[in-house]
Amino acid sequence: GAVVSQHPSWVICKSGTSVKIECRSLDFQATTMFWYRQFPKQSLMLMATSNEGSKATYEQGVEKDKFLINHASLTLSTLTVTSAHPEDSSFYICSARGPGPSNQPQHFGDGTRLSIL
Amino acid sequence: KNEVEQSPQNLTAQEGEFITINCSYSVGISALHWLQQHPGGGIVSLFMLSSGKKKHGRLIATINIQEKHSSLHITASHPRDSAVYICAVSLDYNTDKLIFGTGTRLQVFP
């Protein structure tokens, strides 16, 4: 089945640093990738949708200058949390879908647990 | 009121029991998804359905479009089924966007 690899799986860093999270589709072309954030005991919240070669579409309330998304190839999207602060600590998870109709399953990565000290 | 609601929030069962998790939604959808989130956080897509019923192994998912309701059933439950089960819907006007329920935490004891 379709595999999405997310790296790193967890990261701890100091306040003020920038953190990059990678999301790769290993065996299919991910024309669209999605970035979600999940706080403890809460449901996933979509942050942004990115199409390969285009600017990401951010959900209301998500700062695009804070959460930089790049989807430069059909197999890789990155999320960079710039100048991270403790309130950015969360579980970030990506998903991807292949070409064709948009109404098809999304394939999820294993997530990245981010802790900002 | 959340657009996607699940019940129960928490569920414990003995190994071998038949389990049902319910999902109700209040928006127009193009499809409904059942996802499984493991304790480490990784998510697996179990089903995507827009009508009727689907079966995969011990898992069965049904949907009633008129009643805006779906159920996920697990037959002969096993401790390895312990996870959070999440219902999500694809909106009819934006099929890429998923709206998630808050999940049902299932623990199956041996």
Side-chain angles (χ1 to χ4, degrees):
Chain A
V3 178
V4 173
S5 172
Q6 192 172 335
H7 178 81
S9 54
W10 60 271
V11 59
I12 302 172
C13 60
K14 292 182 179 179
S15 184
T17 58
S18 292
V19 179
K20 180 185 281 190
I21 303 169
E22 292 187 349
C23 181
R24 294 182 185 270
S25 58
L26 298 185
D27 54 359
F28 68 101
Q29 293 184 328
T31 50
T32 306
M33 285 187 167
F34 308 86
W35 287 96
Y36 298 92
R37 181 165 54 181
Q38 184 180 34
F39 292 107
K41 303 285 177 78
Q42 295 188 22
S43 59
L44 283 78
M45 295 295 294
L46 179 66
M47 299 174 68
T49 302
S50 73
N51 292 293
E52 185 264 338
S54 304
K55 286 185 179 179
T57 301
Y58 289 80
E59 294 297 300
Q60 193 173 9
V62 178
E63 299 174 59
K64 60 182 179 183
D65 295 329
K66 172 81 172 172
F67 299 99
L68 301 179
I69 291 171
N70 185 288
H71 190 171
S73 78
L74 283 171
T75 59
L76 173 65
S77 176
T78 60
L79 167 67
T80 301
V81 183
T82 61
S83 188
H85 291 281
E87 59 266 28
D88 299 322
S89 298
S90 187
F91 184 70
Y92 294 86
I93 191 164
C94 71
S95 71
R97 68 164 183 82
S102 60
N103 197 7
Q104 55 180 289
Q106 295 180 20
H107 305 285
F108 290 83
D110 284 338
T112 297
R113 200 161 300 279
L114 175 62
S115 295
I116 308 298
L117 304 177
Chain B
K1 187 173 172 10
N2 292 335
E3 293 164 311
V4 180
E5 297 209 342
Q6 288 183 235
S7 63
Q9 284 189 322
N10 295 284
L11 185 55
T12 57
Q14 284 297 125
E15 184 173 357
E17 286 186 7
F18 180 84
I19 288 161
T20 296
I21 300 170
N22 296 299
C23 175
S24 296
Y25 55 92
S26 57
V27 293
I29 72 168
S30 58
L32 184 141
H33 307 252
W34 281 102
L35 310 170
Q36 180 190 53
Q37 185 169 30
H38 293 286
I43 292 176
V44 175
S45 179
L46 299 175
F47 295 103
M48 185 180 83
L49 64 165
S50 53
S51 65
K53 175 179 171 179
K54 286 190 175 180
K55 184 175 190 292
H56 186 254
R58 295 181 293 106
L59 303 178
I60 303 166
T62 63
I63 187 169
N64 184 317
I65 298 295
Q66 286 73 33
E67 294 186 3
K68 295 191 173 182
H69 181 269
S70 175
S71 293
L72 176 68
H73 305 286
I74 305 175
T75 61
S77 60
H78 191 276
R80 65 174 174 267
D81 297 326
S82 299
V84 175
Y85 292 83
I86 302 170
C87 170
V89 299
S90 303
L91 298 176
D92 54 2
Y93 61 87
N94 181 348
T95 54
D96 261 342
K97 183 164 183 173
L98 294 181
I99 306 295
F100 295 84
T102 52
T104 295
R105 188 172 300 273
L106 170 66
Q107 285 188 296
V108 182
F109 293 99

